[in-house]
Amino acid sequence: MNPASMLRETAPDEALLLQRLLARDEQALRLLHARYAKNLLGVVLRLVRDEALAQDVLQEAWLKVWLHIDSYDAERGRLFTWLARVCSNHAVDVLRSPRYRFHHQNRSLEVAGAERVPAPASFKPEHIGVRELAGQLKPRQREVIDLLYFGGCTHVEAAEELGIPLATVKTRARAALLVLATLAR
């Protein structure tokens, strides 16, 4: 049996529904949802103006309702009014959050009309500016960097190519990286 048909059959008044919610009756929450979700979505949608975001905000607001139902005071207004206030307050909190502002101000590349142009096969972003900086290294450091980073050799292959011990290749590479880091600043 779905919650909407249960609502029509049982039609509990707000006081009984509230008692059941305070007793942590999940079925009462389903009834509350069936009764008010559509209207509350409209309240949230008017504030956030985005269907997907409104659904998320409403879902989070239902959790707040469930966790804080004991703060509802029947003498201050109807249950729906309190629910609408919880939902609208949460929507405003979301709209004011830095996370929302960041995502709202940044458009996706598809929306912004960015072109997708494939990079040339020779393009290697990790090498931007490194070759010019490598020119400032000592000759022994430069030959190791040339083999390791531009030649695609492993440390072992570079050691064989240069005819030097593996530890020497690693030492020269480390020293070259420290110099490059200093030069890149």
Side-chain angles (χ1 to χ4, degrees):
M1 183 182 289
N2 69 28
S5 64
M6 291 169 46
L7 181 64
R8 284 190 295 275
E9 288 178 12
T10 58
D13 65 341
E14 282 189 2
L16 178 59
L17 188 56
L18 182 60
Q19 287 176 353
R20 290 177 61 190
L21 288 167
L22 289 169
R24 295 295 184 210
D25 181 353
E26 291 179 18
Q27 195 63 29
L29 184 64
R30 287 187 187 97
L31 289 170
L32 189 70
H33 185 273
R35 182 180 282 183
Y36 297 122
K38 188 174 182 181
N39 293 334
L40 292 172
L41 180 62
V43 169
V44 173
L45 194 54
R46 271 180 287 212
L47 291 168
V48 299
R49 300 175 194 265
D50 178 329
E51 181 76 28
L53 181 59
Q55 292 283 350
D56 289 344
V57 167
L58 184 59
Q59 186 69 27
E60 293 166 1
W62 279 116
L63 179 61
K64 285 187 174 192
V65 166
W66 179 249
L67 294 174
H68 302 288
I69 191 65
D70 56 337
S71 68
Y72 167 67
D73 183 3
E75 293 184 15
R76 295 184 71 197
R78 292 191 51 217
L79 182 58
F80 177 77
T81 307
W82 180 78
L83 293 169
R85 191 170 61 245
V86 168
C87 292
S88 61
N89 286 348
H90 184 63
V92 169
D93 289 345
V94 167
L95 292 174
R96 289 180 178 167
S97 72
R99 183 176 180 186
Y100 171 79
R101 287 183 182 169
F102 174 79
H103 289 294
H104 186 68
Q105 290 171 353
N106 294 315
R107 299 183 304 164
S108 69
L109 292 177
E110 290 81 19
V111 172
E115 292 183 38
R116 289 183 184 237
V117 178
S122 61
F123 177 70
K124 297 190 190 271
E126 64 272 10
H127 296 170
I128 295 174
V130 175
R131 190 168 300 279
E132 291 77 21
L133 291 175
Q136 298 178 38
L137 294 172
K138 294 179 182 175
R140 289 185 175 182
Q141 293 173 340
R142 185 174 43 241
E143 68 184 359
V144 169
I145 293 297
D146 283 341
L147 287 173
L148 294 177
Y149 292 96
F150 301 115
C153 294
T154 65
H155 285 87
V156 173
E157 292 169 343
E160 290 173 3
E161 177 76 24
L162 296 172
I164 58 176
L166 177 62
T168 304
V169 169
K170 290 183 177 187
T171 301
R172 288 180 186 173
R174 178 74 181 140
L177 289 177
L178 291 173
V179 171
L180 289 171
T182 304
L183 293 172
R185 289 186 192 154

